[in-house]
Amino acid sequence: MNISNSTLLFIVLGAGVLAILYMTLKDMIRKPEATPAPAENASKPATDKAILPLQLQAYERLVLLVERINLQNLIGRIFQPGLTAVDMQVGLIQTIKAEYEHNIAQQIYVSPMAWEAVKTLKEQTITIINQVASQLPPDATAMDLNKQILEIFLQAETSPSELTSQILNAEAKRLF
């Protein structure tokens, strides 16, 4: 079994390339675990500085979402004279779902409790709309639906939107 010099050279070069590739990949894998600079707080990783603005922006966007799906605000944006209660119901629900879906990625940056509060608000709001609409006569107008919905909120001490906003604000303040 005679191995030529060129074959031996290719084997050595191949082993060298594999060794360099292994060391490079090993270093690349370890770099994300880099320790924070000495001036930073030892309990916080360096990535926190990069993530904090994204987290704050997520809380801002979710507070905006809460305000946009607040029924008192939403009714004013959706209502048009001449709409039936069913048209208004569909418009309100579609808008709520669209707003929620537009902001769904924000859950990555907020706590599970904050996201659950937003999700619950969306579901409660849709439930209120559907319950009120189901109690109206078939020929009811959008104004009838709006009045019934607003009466519910006038009777409540705090709205689900207010509670959700308070949760989001408290969590955002904990970030700094």
Side-chain angles (χ1 to χ4, degrees), residues 135-149:
Q135 296 172 358
L136 294 175
D139 62 339
T141 65
M143 187 60 81
D144 297 331
L145 177 65
N146 297 345
K147 284 181 186 177
Q148 293 295 318
I149 290 171

Side-chain angles (χ1 to χ4, degrees), residues 13-139:
L13 285 174
V17 168
L18 288 176
I20 292 170
L21 185 61
Y22 170 76
M23 288 187 280
T24 304
L25 290 176
K26 184 176 75 169
D27 288 343
M28 288 175 69
I29 292 170
R30 287 188 183 167
K31 281 190 181 180
E33 301 172 1
T35 58
E40 294 182 47
N41 184 350
S43 66
K44 295 234 179 209
T47 56
D48 279 358
K49 283 189 172 188
I51 292 176
L52 182 62
L54 296 172
Q55 288 176 312
L56 289 173
Q57 183 182 29
Y59 280 104
E60 289 172 4
R61 287 186 60 154
L62 291 180
V63 168
L64 182 60
L65 166 68
V66 167
E67 287 303 312
R68 289 185 61 80
I69 68 172
N70 179 337
L71 282 172
Q72 293 98 324
N73 298 333
L74 191 57
I75 286 172
R77 286 197 328 267
I78 303 296
F79 177 73
Q80 295 176 4
L83 287 178
T84 67
V86 173
D87 293 336
M88 186 70 183
Q89 176 187 11
V90 169
L92 290 169
I93 291 171
Q94 284 178 340
T95 303
I96 291 167
K97 287 180 177 180
E99 291 283 349
Y100 178 81
E101 289 169 6
H102 181 72
N103 289 287
I104 201 161
Q106 303 310 313
Q107 69 183 300
I108 294 170
Y109 299 107
V110 299
S111 74
M113 184 176 103
W115 182 250
E116 190 61 36
V118 170
K119 195 166 76 170
T120 301
L121 172 65
K122 176 197 75 131
E123 292 165 1
Q124 285 178 344
T125 304
I126 290 172
T127 299
I128 290 168
I129 294 166
N130 287 333
Q131 285 179 343
V132 171
S134 70
Q135 296 172 358
L136 294 175
D139 62 339

Side-chain angles (χ1 to χ4, degrees), residues 62-63 66-67 121 160-170:
L62 291 180
V63 168
V66 167
E67 287 303 312
L121 172 65
S161 295
E162 289 173 15
L163 293 174
T164 305
S165 287
Q166 289 172 0
I167 290 169
L168 293 172
N169 286 327

